[in-house]
Amino acid sequence: QVQLVESGGGLVQAGGSLRLSCAASGRTFSSVALGWFRQAPGKEREFVAAISGRGGATYYADSVKGRFIISRDNGKNTAYLQMNSLKPEDTAVYYCGADQYYYNLWRRGPDYWGQGTQVTVSS
């Protein structure tokens, strides 16, 4: 079992930045891959970014590539999503997900989910 708690959401103007955090517990942190996902009103949840257990590999959705950066600090059992150049279309509830297998994060979704944090980008 893995427990995930997101934080750092809020309201920001277009062009601004936010950093989300995902604190994990319940399993050796470096043994799980972590990902970020988002769900906008009326839309399905979509993959945003993923990072492997030791942080050596990352993968991004095309819509955020070059603007968002995923990272992790295994000493703090925390993953981050640095979001820059935010756009109104980035408005969504952002979820952290964890899975034993890195590729599962975008191929079928993770086994474990956090509760989500709201990000609102105003124009």
Side-chain angles (χ1 to χ4, degrees), residues 29-32 34 52-55 72-79:
F29 188 66
S30 61
S31 70
V32 293
L34 293 168
S52 60
R54 296 185 183 274
R72 64 191 295 160
D73 184 338
N74 286 352
K76 295 182 178 179
N77 285 9
T78 303

Side-chain angles (χ1 to χ4, degrees), residues 4-70:
L4 303 168
V5 179
E6 302 96 333
S7 62
L11 174 64
V12 64
Q13 287 190 332
S17 298
L18 275 178
R19 188 177 81 156
L20 305 182
S21 298
C22 173
S25 62
R27 186 170 174 172
T28 303
F29 188 66
S30 61
S31 70
V32 293
L34 293 168
W36 286 96
F37 304 78
R38 66 187 182 187
Q39 187 168 19
K43 295 188 177 181
E44 292 187 356
R45 191 175 301 188
E46 65 176 0
F47 167 79
V48 173
I51 188 166
S52 60
R54 296 185 183 274
T58 57
Y59 184 69
Y60 296 91
D62 288 343
S63 58
V64 306
K65 201 174 295 182
R67 299 189 298 124
F68 291 9
I69 301 171
I70 189 171

Side-chain angles (χ1 to χ4, degrees), residues 35-118:
W36 286 96
F37 304 78
R38 66 187 182 187
Q39 187 168 19
K43 295 188 177 181
E44 292 187 356
R45 191 175 301 188
E46 65 176 0
F47 167 79
V48 173
I51 188 166
S52 60
R54 296 185 183 274
T58 57
Y59 184 69
Y60 296 91
D62 288 343
S63 58
V64 306
K65 201 174 295 182
R67 299 189 298 124
F68 291 9
I69 301 171
I70 189 171
S71 62
R72 64 191 295 160
D73 184 338
N74 286 352
K76 295 182 178 179
N77 285 9
T78 303
Y80 305 96
L81 185 68
Q82 177 67 43
M83 304 186 295
N84 302 318
S85 302
L86 283 162
K87 305 174 182 180
E89 51 263 45
D90 293 318
T91 294
V93 177
Y94 282 72
Y95 298 89
C96 180
D99 198 279
Q100 182 180 359
Y101 300 106
Y102 174 59
Y103 299 100
N104 279 351
L105 292 171
W106 64 88
R107 288 181 178 174
R108 67 161 178 83
D111 284 336
Y112 305 101
W113 291 97
Q115 84 290 348
T117 185
Q118 176 71 47

